Amino acid sequence: MNCVEAIARLHLYIDRELSAEEVITVQQHLARCSQCESRFRFDERLRRLIHERCTIERAPARLREAVMRIAQTPPGEPLELDPELEMELRADIALEEFVE
């Protein structure tokens, strides 16, 4: 395996989406190639950092409850939301349409 092939497989390797044979081949290449090994370490740390930073914030409880209520309401059945939350949701939707 050359460096181009190894780099092309790094994200699959990090995500554990390679076959057992491919894992061994990538590991062997990383053991021999310090540049690819450095790239792998960087990508692995970046992925971990993104995961940590993106999972810290949670939606407010009332928003989570509203989403669950909407998801569980059969189509066509009337749905009542807290007026303030409904206004916030409508404003967010309007903003998204404006940005696009």
Side-chain angles (χ1 to χ4, degrees):
M1 175 175 287
N2 63 36
C3 293
V4 172
E5 294 168 330
I7 296 299
R9 288 179 173 81
L10 276 185
H11 291 280
L12 296 172
Y13 177 73
I14 291 169
D15 292 338
R16 296 184 172 106
E17 295 180 9
L18 295 177
S19 68
E21 299 85 31
E22 288 176 307
V23 167
I24 292 169
T25 304
V26 171
Q27 288 174 338
Q28 289 171 343
H29 180 83
L30 294 176
R32 294 189 314 269
C33 180
S34 62
Q35 285 184 301
C36 288
E37 208 272 335
S38 291
R39 172 70 185 264
F40 163 69
R41 295 288 171 219
F42 174 82
D43 287 359
E44 189 178 44
R45 283 192 305 270
L46 179 61
R47 181 177 184 266
R48 191 176 308 124
L49 179 65
I50 290 170
H51 177 75
E52 288 169 2
R53 298 293 186 240
C54 291
T55 56
I56 291 174
E57 292 187 35
R58 291 189 61 174
R62 69 187 195 134
L63 176 59
R64 289 194 313 271
E65 290 167 10
V67 168
M68 289 303 296
R69 196 171 332 119
I70 291 168
Q72 294 170 348
T73 301
E77 188 174 305
L79 176 70
E80 290 188 32
L81 292 176
D82 170 36
E84 186 179 324
L85 179 60
E86 184 176 357
M87 195 167 59
E88 287 179 35
L89 292 172
R90 289 185 186 278
D92 287 345
I93 291 169
L95 179 62
E96 286 294 322
E97 291 173 353
F98 177 76
V99 172
E100 292 175 355

